[in-house]
Amino acid sequence: MTGTGTDGRTPGTERQRPGTDGRVSRTDSRTTETDNRAPGPAGRAACGAPFLAVVRPGALTTVQDLGRPGHAHLGVGRSGALDRPAHALANRLVGNPAGHATLETTVDGCAVRTTAAVTAAVTGAPCPVRVDGRPVAWGAPVRVPAGAVLDVGRAALGLRSYVAFGGGIAVPPVLGSRSRDLLSGLGPEPLSAGAELPLGAPCGPSAGVDAVPWAGPPAGGLVLPVVLGPRDGWFTPAALRTLARGDFRVAGASNRIGLRTEGPALERATEGELPSEGMVLGAVQVPPDGRPVVFLADHPTTGGYPVVGVVPEAELAAAAQAVPGTPVRFAPARFVPARG
Amino acid sequence: MTADRADARSGPPQEPSAAPGLRPLRVGPHALLVEVADTGEAQALHAELLRRRAAGTLPPVTEIVPAARTVLLDGLADPRALAADIVHWDVPPLAAADSQPVVLPVRYDGADLAEVAALWGVAEEEVARLHSGLEFRVAFCGFAPGFGYLTGLPEHLHVPRRATPRTAVPAGAVGLAGPYTGVYPRSSPGGWQLIGRTDAVLWDAAREPAALLAPGTRVRFEVDA
């Protein structure tokens, strides 16, 4: 087995192009790492691009970017990172454009070994971050030497952390996106132990920041503005009052498809069947049990249950970080906010 | 703030909808759901929207999603302006033969063939002849990538879904449900009445286009003996 450092010396690889000055110490760290730390199948790292080997996949860790809008008419949803600001920030910290793919963890993080030195950053749900067992900063670029294990720990607050690597996760895109859509099954499989994920070539210097914004869990729970319609007329006036005043909670069955709620049921004014119609991100769909479901990134493109209102996209990052049991209040409005 | 025209139109479904044509409903800050009378009108509106987008006369939009009797427009900068404009549109009916149909060879040996034959009141072998003699059009997609809801079955051939859905329907299975015919792009659970199977690849993410059937695509089935 040969060393992991040879990849950077392959003629014509992206890593030798100018302008990648964010990797000042890369050559040093790569050549000082010994090959006995290289993971994975014998020799794999020597001749290919650098990659991540999954040591601990966590409860659910998926590759996510900004999704694949524009294909809903084919039954393909948008998908993409649920907490988009956190995803974009992680990318910015390592010098990537916002559209590069990151890892989205759920509850208990993940651990990966890198075959080449790389800059990484963890954002979203705050959590302990370790490199080969040594604590490093959350919310800041950190250097991960070749062969080292980056361990993203259990979320102290919130649900989903985002792990960006300089160059991004370079799995082949499907319809222009590397996102895993759990409903349609498009994109790379969720991480499993031993799986390997290729890394792209770093594209710029990592951002120098002193502090990263983290809103934290909202005091008193999650408040979701809802623009009423298109099917608010399918509900009784009492149901609309219940939507505005009811105490809901995030249900444990929530996932990337939707934030499910527990609480009072919304009563329908009509028992008619609604023919399937197009669904948008943030739609508050009310199934027959009357408990509102807020559609998140992997939502179906069409549906036959009435949508009482829509949560503007900018509010969904908080929804993506709300742990089961979090109190939820809806703030319905008849009119669309000035800018959603 | 002025009253939103589109919101003002979003009454309950039992409200008399005497006004024919296009009924725009607001969907959040950036989308519009345009309701029409039936699937035929939805197909015609979808075709008109594609024409206007190609001609550059439709405001920029991320998604145009036709469904049973609506078309969703998502990613609009100003849905209110389009809502105010769209009620004045004159949408021409769908041209009967505006493109070459996709032909799907089918072995009519589905698990529900006898059931469908009984519902249609014909012999089993008649199902193939009747079904392959019709012309279909993809009204909309959904359920799974590349799954099209095909209209074209005359009303007397509509059949209900199975009372108990199957946990696994094979890829390529051709099924019927209500007014629709569909082909399963991949193995999945499903409740449609299965009449046959095709080897055509309905969905291949590595292919361009990935979906064999898109809204508006004309489709014929052909007996594959």
Side-chain angles (χ1 to χ4, degrees):
Chain A
M1 188 166 178
T2 50
T4 57
T6 55
D7 59 311
R9 293 191 288 271
T10 307
T13 60
E14 298 275 1
R15 287 183 171 278
Q16 290 187 316
R17 291 182 185 170
T20 56
D21 44 340
R23 54 188 181 86
V24 176
S25 61
R26 172 154 295 125
T27 303
D28 289 339
S29 59
R30 190 165 49 215
T31 51
T32 54
E33 293 298 334
T34 52
D35 60 347
N36 62 2
R37 299 180 68 179
R44 166 73 185 267
C47 51
F51 64 93
L52 304 175
V54 179
V55 176
R56 181 177 63 83
L60 173 68
T61 302
T62 57
V63 176
Q64 296 296 337
D65 55 18
L66 299 178
R68 48 181 73 84
H71 304 283
H73 62 291
L74 301 177
V76 175
R78 189 188 320 189
S79 192
L82 290 196
D83 185 342
R84 285 165 72 108
H87 159 88
L89 176 62
N91 269 329
R92 191 162 67 83
L93 289 172
V94 300
N96 290 343
H100 271 35
T102 64
L103 297 179
E104 178 184 281
T105 70
T106 314
V107 181
D108 65 348
C110 69
V112 294
R113 190 188 295 272
T114 73
T115 63
V118 67
T119 303
V122 183
T123 64
C127 60
V129 183
R130 290 186 167 80
V131 173
D132 273 349
R134 179 175 48 86
V136 296
W138 173 92
V142 296
R143 296 291 302 162
V144 184
V149 172
L150 172 70
D151 189 284
V152 179
R154 174 172 289 270
L157 296 166
L159 269 182
R160 296 176 168 100
S161 301
Y162 291 82
V163 194
F165 299 88
I169 312 275
V171 295
V174 175
L175 298 180
S177 168
R178 299 178 165 90
S179 290
R180 174 64 176 188
D181 183 334
L182 293 179
L183 185 69
S184 75
L186 298 183
E189 292 287 333
L191 267 58
S192 58
E196 296 174 356
L197 298 166
L199 289 175
C203 30
S206 54
V209 292
D210 295 328
V212 296
W214 161 249
L222 187 63
V223 179
L224 294 175
V226 177
V227 181
L228 289 174
R231 301 297 177 190
D232 49 314
W234 281 58
F235 297 88
T236 62
L240 296 180
R241 283 194 298 275
T242 300
L243 180 69
R245 298 175 193 163
D247 291 320
F248 297 88
R249 283 182 184 278
V250 176
S254 301
N255 54 25
R256 284 185 44 86
I257 297 165
L259 179 134
R260 293 175 180 275
T261 62
E262 292 164 348
L266 302 191
E267 187 194 358
R268 292 232 320 233
T270 171
E271 291 308 310
E273 285 245 338
L274 183 69
S276 280
E277 58 191 26
M279 291 286 142
V280 299
L281 184 63
V284 182
Q285 200 191 50
V286 183
D289 71 4
R291 269 79 189 189
V293 178
V294 182
F295 275 165
L296 301 179
D298 290 357
H299 70 86
T301 56
T302 59
Y305 298 133
V307 170
V308 66
V310 177
V311 178
E313 191 177 325
E315 312 290 339
L316 295 175
Q321 296 292 2
V323 300
T326 299
V328 181
R329 292 192 75 93
F330 292 102
R334 180 65 57 183
F335 303 111
V336 175
R339 189 71 198 168
Chain B
M1 184 182 265
T2 56
D4 187 303
R5 290 184 61 150
D7 282 344
R9 296 176 66 91
S10 69
Q14 62 268 41
E15 186 178 84
S17 53
L22 310 174
R23 189 167 174 267
L25 307 172
R26 280 297 285 274
V27 181
H30 297 299
L32 208 57
L33 186 70
V34 187
E35 195 169 50
V36 292
D38 55 34
T39 302
E41 286 191 14
Q43 291 175 319
L45 173 60
H46 178 243
E48 175 69 10
L49 286 162
L50 295 188
R51 269 195 298 275
R52 288 181 183 239
R53 180 155 75 171
T57 58
L58 186 71
V61 59
T62 313
E63 311 273 8
I64 300 177
V65 189
R69 61 164 201 229
T70 55
V71 180
L72 173 74
L73 295 144
D74 195 5
L76 288 164
D78 189 354
R80 193 181 310 197
L82 184 59
D85 181 48
I86 207 166
V87 294
H88 303 299
W89 286 15
D90 188 18
V91 178
L94 208 56
D98 49 2
S99 59
Q100 282 300 308
V102 169
V103 179
L104 300 177
V106 176
R107 295 183 302 283
Y108 284 90
D109 58 0
D112 299 316
L113 195 65
E115 174 74 17
V116 169
L119 286 164
W120 285 6
V122 300
E124 278 188 38
E125 48 276 19
E126 271 291 285
V127 172
R129 196 186 63 80
L130 285 169
H131 190 257
S132 63
L134 295 165
E135 170 137 340
F136 297 87
R137 183 185 288 267
V138 181
F140 56 97
C141 293
F143 171 65
F147 185 92
Y149 292 75
L150 279 56
T151 51
L153 273 184
E155 199 166 343
H156 68 279
L157 299 183
H158 295 184
V159 298
R161 282 162 204 262
R162 285 171 52 84
T164 308
R166 289 189 170 84
T167 53
V169 171
V174 179
L176 308 179
Y180 303 116
T181 289
V183 185
Y184 286 80
R186 61 175 186 212
S187 177
S188 59
W192 292 33
Q193 308 258 14
L194 306 183
I195 58 171
R197 190 163 177 180
T198 180
D199 291 330
V201 177
L202 275 288
W203 175 263
D204 178 357
R207 182 177 63 190
E208 176 56 41
L212 187 60
L213 309 182
T217 304
R218 293 168 63 217
V219 181
R220 292 188 71 91
F221 296 94
E222 175 180 271
V223 179
D224 183 8

